[in-house]
Amino acid sequence: MSLPPERASELKQIIHNHLLKINIHGKIREVLAETVREDHGPAHRSLSEADFLHALQHRGIIDDVMKDLHFTQEVLTDAEPGSPPKPATHFVDQNITQLKKTNIDPSRRYLYLQVLGGKAFLEHLQEPEPLPGQVCSTFTLYLHFRNQRFRSKPVPCACEPDLREGFLLEIHREGLGEGGKMADGTTMLSLCDPVHLVLIKTDTSSETMLVSSYFLDWRTVLCSPNGKTCFAVELMGVGSECKVPAGVLTVGLELYPPLTETLSADIISTQQSLERQRTADKERLFLVYAKQWWREFLEIRPSHQSKMVKIFAQDENGVNRPVCSYVHVLRAGRLLENPRQAARFVSLLAHEKAPVVGGGGVKQEQWCTLMAFLCRVKGDCEDHATLLCSLLLGFGLDAYVCLGTKAKGNPHTWVLTRGTDGSITFWESLTAHRYVHRAIDPDAPPLVPQPKPSSPYRTVGCVFNHHTFRANCQPSDAVELCVFDFQNQSRWKAMSEEALKSVCAPGSTTSLPPLPPLCAPSLDPAAASNQLELEMRYLVSEQRKDLDLATVWDDHLSYLLSSALSAYELERCTGVSCGNEEFQDAVRRAVPDGHTFKGFPIHFLHRNARRAFATCLRSPFCEEIVCCRGDHVRLAVRVRVFAYPESACAVWLMFAVKYRSVL
């Protein structure tokens, strides 16, 4: 029986781990020593391999090895010729990524990064080892390096997690016509792009948590003999725990092909020192300028002190960076088709405020780097707004992030776009809603009709994007009175674009995190929809069984619900409702005279069936359908999963019932 290379290596790893576990090397040494002593004498002959194997078998060593080593043969049926192999681990990885063979170009330079295990994750010191088949929390490691992104297989959370992965990173040259040349030592020394490591914890209910975000300078491998090095990386926590170690990863680096002449360690440390000094000089000059600009802004009007004007923001590692550095021109390739679909995608990333230990009602300050936000697939309103603004800039719109407050005075962040005709549109990044802004003229005569506010925003303090920052210096910062004429210096005080460019432009400083590309969805929408629908049917049947009610499914009615769910998602994307008439007509034909039809649609951002079902049952309308009693009751359920980049998904679920009305 032939095995594919990835299964063969997996099998070798299982056998290797088992042999280490039973200390096979120690036992072999003992048997070898005994055998040599027994055969040693005046008439001794040389010990052959067959003699040694016989000795191992005689002492029961081979039987001990085979006794606990079990394999189950997987047989692929004709119906599932392309189904992915089952993971060797005891938990299920929902996002299985098939490994593909990579053809290594001998004319290009590569960096092979190996993660050789973790240790000292003390938060999981008391965590028991999960039983086979038990659902457990997992760690997943994500990498980004020069426009290349990778993720590890999830492993169970433990004090010493078994994170063992290898990633082949291509080191390519930049510049016109030089992309195909092999990068030499000098070129690689000048590449200051770090390898961004993001560690994510996923709990048993599929909730994700950012554990650590680390920037690895890989250039130490340039001075290593044979182009190989291995060292420990201490991962720090995030947010309020950014000074507390989260754990340690052992990392190995290997350069392929190795350099013919390695660089000295002094050259590398000098280069790193120069880069740090250059970055520190630029940041210090910008800080001096920002303080002067802020003093000038306060001199315009004393009330400006209380306006929502924010020049710097802390990232997940507690580093203060200009807010403009969080926005980039981000093009999604063919993953997103238009600005409204981009807004829908951003709204599907879950909203969660930065976690804080303790109470007090104080909001934890944390703007995430784009890589950390995408890997975690959730973040605060600032993360959503900066990502949406970046995508809208990529689609060629004149987009800005707005900092202000909502109706109840709570701080909030949203996006604004300006049309060529001067029209202003607000984009709510958490919901993908759009609002056309029309300012009220406070100097107009009383009888002149004024536009009514359509947006939920109350005040705006400043707006910014990747190269501009403008503070609102109008007499009132109320959104309904605000005129977004950014060229008018009496209404908006701008920072110097050159000053912003010195610290926010890509490559301007080594402290700026690199911009990752968006990843295509790894989810199969049809398979995910079918799986979730089967789970929902089971949960409904169990719920009704507890009430001593029979469950009869109407497959035709279930199929008809698809058009409604498709129309709901289309409306969320485009803002246009269509297809409702056809759905209503189909339902009328499917429900006989004298019968009643009830339906309950609901929307989720996750694919956890039990969580979704528990949420549905909190609604009296859904409970009425699921627990329906009557004559000739026929139930229906339909699930539609719509896949977006970064494995974000819109899950639409609809329960329905038809039954004969009995008076």
Side-chain angles (χ1 to χ4, degrees), residues 111-113 145 171 185 188-195 214-233 251-255 259 261-273 275-276:
L111 177 69
Y112 184 52
L113 187 150
F145 177 67
I171 306 174
M188 289 190 288
L189 182 62
S190 66
L191 298 178
C192 56
D193 302 60
V195 179
Y214 184 85
F215 295 95
L216 173 68
D217 194 333
W218 54 275
R219 289 175 292 180
T220 52
V221 75
L222 300 178
C223 66
S224 304
N226 302 321
K228 294 181 182 180
T229 184
C230 185
F231 50 89
V233 170
V251 174
L253 297 177
E254 181 179 351
L255 208 57
L259 290 172
E261 293 184 13
T262 58
L263 304 179
S264 73
D266 290 340
I267 291 177
I268 294 172
S269 61
T270 302
Q271 174 71 15
Q272 293 169 335
S273 178
E275 290 170 356
R276 284 193 295 268

Side-chain angles (χ1 to χ4, degrees), residues 308-548:
M308 285 282 294
V309 178
K310 193 175 195 63
I311 304 172
F312 296 93
Q314 277 191 359
D315 65 11
E316 67 267 21
N317 291 324
V319 178
N320 271 310
R321 295 199 283 118
V323 292
C324 293
S325 68
Y326 290 87
V327 180
H328 323 267
V329 178
L330 182 59
R331 296 180 178 89
R334 298 192 183 277
L335 300 179
L336 296 169
E337 299 295 337
N338 54 63
R340 296 198 185 189
Q341 193 180 30
R344 175 61 174 155
F345 156 62
V346 175
S347 71
L348 293 174
L349 304 175
H351 176 226
E352 181 181 89
K353 296 184 183 298
V356 60
V357 178
V362 180
K363 182 178 181 288
Q364 173 68 30
E365 171 71 13
Q366 181 178 311
W367 292 34
C368 278
T369 58
L370 181 56
M371 179 68 178
F373 177 40
L374 293 177
C375 295
R376 189 178 167 220
V377 204
K378 68 164 71 165
D380 210 339
C381 59
E382 295 89 359
D383 305 320
H384 287 78
T386 51
L387 174 57
L388 177 57
C389 184
S390 300
L391 289 168
L392 296 183
L393 287 168
F395 278 110
L397 300 183
D398 188 19
Y400 303 82
V401 176
C402 299
L403 285 178
T405 60
K406 291 187 79 172
K408 294 184 179 179
N410 297 323
H412 192 63
T413 311
W414 68 97
V415 178
L416 168 153
T417 54
R418 293 196 312 159
T420 52
D421 58 354
S423 61
I424 302 296
T425 305
F426 295 145
W427 301 64
E428 177 49 65
S429 58
L430 299 180
T431 61
H433 290 164
R434 299 165 69 253
Y435 308 94
V436 176
H437 171 71
R438 294 183 180 86
I440 294 174
D441 184 3
D443 300 324
L447 296 180
V448 172
Q450 297 278 16
K452 292 183 179 180
S454 60
S455 72
Y457 314 119
R458 181 180 173 186
T459 65
V460 56
C462 64
V463 300
F464 64 90
N465 58 19
H466 61 303
H467 64 77
T468 61
F469 183 95
R470 302 176 190 276
N472 185 1
C473 52
Q474 298 172 61
S476 170
D477 60 357
V479 170
E480 58 189 21
L481 300 175
C482 193
V483 178
F484 292 92
D485 177 12
F486 295 148
Q487 277 63 47
N488 190 331
Q489 292 288 331
S490 65
R491 288 193 169 116
W492 296 91
K493 180 172 175 57
M495 294 189 86
S496 162
E497 290 193 13
E498 285 300 316
L500 290 169
K501 190 177 180 181
S502 69
V503 290
C504 297
S508 58
T509 64
T510 54
S511 62
L512 283 181
L515 177 65
L518 291 183
C519 280
S522 59
L523 188 69
D524 181 352
S529 301
N530 289 337
Q531 177 64 28
L532 191 52
E533 190 171 309
L534 287 173
E535 292 176 11
M536 280 297 171
R537 285 197 174 202
Y538 170 77
L539 292 172
V540 170
S541 299
E542 290 296 303
Q543 177 77 9
R544 289 179 63 83
K545 189 186 294 183
D546 291 342
L547 300 172
D548 294 327

Side-chain angles (χ1 to χ4, degrees), residues 150-267:
F150 303 89
R151 67 184 281 269
S152 72
K153 287 183 289 189
V155 301
C157 292
C159 183
E160 296 187 357
D162 191 31
L163 276 165
R164 297 181 183 274
E165 292 280 349
F167 307 95
L168 190 65
L169 313 175
E170 186 178 333
I171 306 174
H172 51 269
R173 296 175 59 148
E174 293 175 338
L176 193 62
E178 294 191 338
K181 296 180 183 178
M182 182 181 289
D184 55 15
T186 307
T187 302
M188 289 190 288
L189 182 62
S190 66
L191 298 178
C192 56
D193 302 60
V195 179
H196 192 179
L197 306 174
V198 175
L199 186 63
I200 298 292
K201 176 184 175 182
T202 307
D203 65 17
T204 52
S205 59
S206 304
E207 289 290 336
T208 55
M209 186 181 81
L210 178 62
V211 177
S212 184
S213 173
Y214 184 85
F215 295 95
L216 173 68
D217 194 333
W218 54 275
R219 289 175 292 180
T220 52
V221 75
L222 300 178
C223 66
S224 304
N226 302 321
K228 294 181 182 180
T229 184
C230 185
F231 50 89
V233 170
E234 185 178 44
L235 301 179
M236 306 303 286
V238 294
S240 58
E241 301 174 22
C242 62
K243 305 296 183 186
V244 182
V248 176
L249 287 182
T250 304
V251 174
L253 297 177
E254 181 179 351
L255 208 57
Y256 176 82
L259 290 172
T260 52
E261 293 184 13
T262 58
L263 304 179
S264 73
D266 290 340
I267 291 177

Side-chain angles (χ1 to χ4, degrees), residues 30-106:
E30 291 174 9
V31 173
L32 182 60
E34 290 177 14
T35 308
V36 170
R37 280 198 300 271
E38 291 172 2
D39 291 347
H40 192 72
H44 77 280
R45 55 185 175 82
S46 61
L47 187 66
S48 68
E49 184 179 341
D51 294 331
F52 185 54
L53 286 174
H54 177 73
L56 287 175
Q57 195 166 10
H58 178 68
R59 286 165 176 77
I61 302 297
I62 294 178
D63 291 338
D64 289 342
V65 170
M66 300 305 295
K67 182 171 62 178
D68 297 323
L69 196 60
H70 300 294
F71 300 100
T72 56
Q73 184 177 4
E74 295 176 17
V75 179
L76 292 176
T77 62
D78 293 335
E80 298 177 327
S83 61
K86 294 180 182 176
T89 45
H90 53 262
F91 60 90
V92 178
D93 179 10
Q94 297 290 350
N95 297 313
I96 295 173
T97 304
Q98 293 284 5
L99 297 177
K100 296 179 181 177
K101 290 184 179 180
T102 302
N103 293 322
I104 295 180
D105 186 348

Side-chain angles (χ1 to χ4, degrees), residues 553-626:
W553 295 102
D554 187 328
D555 292 335
H556 177 62
L557 185 59
S558 296
Y559 179 73
L560 297 184
L561 303 179
S562 290
S563 60
L565 301 182
S566 179
Y568 297 152
E569 180 60 21
L570 186 63
E571 184 178 359
R572 290 289 180 97
C573 272
T574 63
V576 179
S577 177
C578 62
N580 196 37
E581 298 83 0
E582 292 88 345
F583 169 65
Q584 291 181 2
D585 186 63
V587 169
R588 288 192 188 99
R589 292 175 178 276
V591 178
D593 291 339
H595 283 63
T596 299
F597 171 84
K598 291 180 181 178
F600 176 78
I602 191 169
H603 175 251
F604 293 100
L605 303 183
H606 62 83
R607 292 178 288 120
N608 189 305
R610 292 193 179 274
R611 271 176 63 198
F613 189 62
T615 304
C616 292
L617 288 182
R618 292 193 198 109
S619 166
F621 301 106
C622 181
E623 187 182 22
E624 188 179 332
I625 292 172
V626 171

